[in-house]
Amino acid sequence: MHKNIAFSFILSLALFCLLILPSTAKDGVVTTELWCVAKNNAEDAPLLTALNWACGPGGADCSPIQQGGPCYDPTDIQNTASYAFNDYFLKHGMTDDSCNFDNTAALTSLNPSHDKCKLPSSLSASNASISSPSTAYENGMGPSENLNGSNKISEQWIWPLVTSFLIIAYNTWAMG
C-alpha cells in the first residue's frame, strides 16, 4: 500500500512537470514571459557602455528611449538600458547569451514596464518573426558565440527533471 502511494505521488509529480508547468518549451519557443533588464547592482559606467553598444553596433531600436519617446528618462540609466537590452534580446534569439551585456543584464519574469513605457516580452516576440543572430560584434558586448541552433532557456532544465522523476518512480515501484 505504502509503495503504491509513493509511486503514484512521484508519477503524478513527473506528469505535472511535463504537462502543466507554465514555462515549458513548445517547438523550441519559450512560453513564459521574460524580459531582459539591467541588473540593479550594475554600475553606471558599464551600463552606459553596454547601452551604447546595444543602440549602436548591436542594432537595438532605441528610438523609444530618445528624447520625446515614451521611455525617455535621462535620470534613470537602469530603465533606459533595460529597454535597449530587452529589444536586443527579443531580436537576437532570446537566449541567455543575448541577455548578458558584459554581465550587466539579467532575465526576469517581472514585467519592467512603467508609466507609458511598455516593454514587449519574450512571449509577444515568440509569435513574431525574429531576426537571426549576427556574428559580427564589437567591444565584446554581444553574445559570446553564434546563437544558431542553441537551446532556448526553458529547454535546459525540464527534460533532466522529468527523467529524474521517472527513474525515481520506477525504482520505487520495482523495489516494492
Side-chain angles (χ1 to χ4, degrees):
M1 176 76 171
H2 182 63
K3 174 181 77 168
N4 290 339
I5 293 171
F7 178 75
S8 296
F9 173 76
I10 293 173
L11 188 58
S12 296
L13 189 57
L15 289 173
F16 172 79
C17 290
L18 181 63
L19 301 174
I20 300 175
L21 281 178
S23 62
T24 58
K26 295 179 183 175
D27 298 326
V29 177
V30 177
T31 57
T32 296
E33 285 189 295
L34 294 174
W35 292 266
C36 178
V37 297
K39 288 183 177 179
N40 60 6
N41 63 346
E43 295 185 22
D44 287 356
L47 271 179
L48 185 58
T49 300
L51 173 62
N52 288 336
W53 183 87
C55 292
D61 176 13
C62 294
S63 57
I65 58 175
Q66 302 297 320
Q67 189 167 6
C71 300
Y72 176 71
D73 184 356
T75 63
D76 193 336
I77 191 166
Q78 294 279 328
N79 285 342
T80 301
S82 292
Y83 187 90
F85 294 172
N86 191 62
D87 188 76
Y88 180 89
F89 168 71
L90 296 177
K91 290 179 179 177
H92 291 87
M94 295 185 291
T95 65
D96 292 329
D97 279 347
S98 63
C99 182
N100 185 311
F101 298 95
D102 205 21
N103 205 29
T104 62
L107 292 174
T108 183
S109 60
L110 300 175
N111 189 339
S113 298
H114 55 92
D115 304 320
K116 293 181 181 180
C117 182
K118 306 299 179 207
L119 282 73
S121 72
S122 59
L123 189 56
S124 61
S126 68
N127 295 324
S129 174
I130 300 170
S131 64
S132 60
S134 170
T135 55
Y137 299 101
E138 298 176 17
N139 301 329
M141 297 304 296
S144 59
E145 61 187 59
N146 185 341
L147 301 176
N148 290 327
S150 69
N151 290 337
K152 298 292 181 196
I153 295 158
S154 68
E155 291 176 335
Q156 296 176 2
W157 66 272
I158 190 72
W159 290 114
L161 181 67
V162 170
T163 302
S164 298
F165 281 125
L166 290 175
I167 289 170
I168 291 169
Y170 175 76
N171 287 335
T172 302
W173 175 78
M175 296 174 93

